[in-house]
Amino acid sequence: MVMMRWMAPSPDRPRGVTIMGSTGSVGQSTVDLIAREPQSYRVEALVAGTSVEALAEQARRLHARVAVVANPQRYRALKDALAGTSIEAAAGPDAVIEAAQRPAEWVMAAIVGFAGLAPVLAAARRGAMVALANKEALVCAGRLLTEAVRDAGGVLLPVDSEHNAIFQVFDADQRSTIERLILTASGGPFRNWSLADMAEATREQALAHPNWDMGATISIDSATMMNKGLELIEAHLLFGLPAEQIDIVVHPQSVIHSMVAYRDGSVLAQLGTQDMRVPISHSLGWPSRIDSPAARLEFTDLAPLTFERPDSRRFPSLRLAREALVIGGSAPIVLNAANEVAVAAFLVGRIGFLDIARVVEDVMMASGSMSDDVDGLQQLQAADAEARHRAEEAVKGHSLTN
Ligand SMILES: NC(=O)c1ccc[n+]([C@@H]2O[C@H](COP(=O)([O-])OP(=O)(O)OC[C@H]3O[C@@H](n4cnc5c(N)ncnc54)[C@H](OP(=O)(O)O)[C@@H]3O)[C@@H](O)[C@H]2O)c1
């Protein structure tokens, strides 16, 4: 039935696609894949935050119908950069949502952070196939987003390499036979660092991920392991298993992208090189498989695969995220908002590396019970704004310039 509704992209039937966050790390990988097979896609809209030159170059290359920049002050620059083409230019948050509403069968959700939620929801509400890289949107609006997808008859395709791996080996027809999900984690750049050294970690050291080349926010989230905490919540929402049936295992080589353990003792894994074009290709071609230019695994050349327990003493973000998942209600919104504010403050040198988790913990402590359900986008946005305000205060409390 699914196969009848969702046809694979091909030169005979180009797939209509929109890329939200096209100028970022995931966005550029998506553009790269589409540019290699232009006859298989019709590019409806490309969306960026502020980078108009890169956006206009992509729009010209992919013959997009519309290019949208979220920052309204960049409209004139975008218009100028698209001069001489028939590509429509638009700007501002409403234009971003309108871009998500345009008729594209497949939408890559690769805006970073809570800012991506409203457009993801708009795409989900019209029944699009949503390729979800923007984990923060799902973490903050789990029920709202999954219900929107279900009600509109769309689908959420996980792009995060771990969730994409699980999606590939998850037997949805026999859910009761699944015992556990095992999320693998690289451990980030500070996997072996002492707490004393982590306290002194610089921005450059925290951004230097050992295995993956990613945007700044997710790189810092990988260094604190908040990324894995957010992924824990994401896994719960995508696959429906409770927190106690989702394990996190540190696997520094990042060859096994995640696993599903079954009741009969079988464990199914998805493996690959560290190239986001593999999970992006999986979702871009879904339900078929398409070619990807990613390097192939050469098993005989691989370093030994090793596994370790995560250390929540040095990486308290793991514990905080697990607590947020168990509390439910607004707790994941508070966790994410405080983390986004703290990461931004670390990136500009206002707080130290270990202060990121301290800010998140302070805000969660100050936010009361948090367990009440939050319904509707406006309530979610209000909870996010309140947590951001508290986080700004907490950042001042931990400021390096005090
Ligand atoms: N990078 C990875 O390998 C990876 C892997 C798994 C999951 N993810 C997830 O994918 C998402 C994107 O990550 P990334 O590493 O690609 O981030 P990134 O490199 O920082 O790119 C973010 C993109 O979002 C755009 N953007 C930022 N704020 C916006 C706003 N308010 N409205 C519209 N667009 C906005 C940026 O535009 P400008 O360029 O103009 O700023 C850029 O195109 C994140 O949720 C991340 O957790 C990433």
Side-chain angles (χ1 to χ4, degrees), residues 341 388-398:
V341 170
R388 275 172 203 271
H389 178 70
R390 287 206 168 104
E392 279 299 340
E393 294 303 310
V395 163
K396 284 181 200 151
H398 292 282

Side-chain angles (χ1 to χ4, degrees), residues 20-27 47-52 70 96 109-113 115 133-136 159-161 212-218 227 231 276:
M20 321 288 305
S22 63
T23 52
S25 168
V26 170
V47 175
T50 54
S51 314
V52 291
V96 172
I111 293 175
V112 60
N134 178 207
K135 67 194 87 186
E136 301 92 337
V159 171
D160 233 339
S161 58
W212 297 93
D213 183 12
M214 308 182 286
T217 304
I218 185 173
N227 183 48
E231 288 179 9
M276 282 303 291

Side-chain angles (χ1 to χ4, degrees), residues 210-228:
N211 300 345
W212 297 93
D213 183 12
M214 308 182 286
T217 304
I218 185 173
S219 296
I220 302 301
D221 286 348
S222 298
T224 59
M225 292 194 76
M226 178 58 90
N227 183 48
K228 210 50 56 181

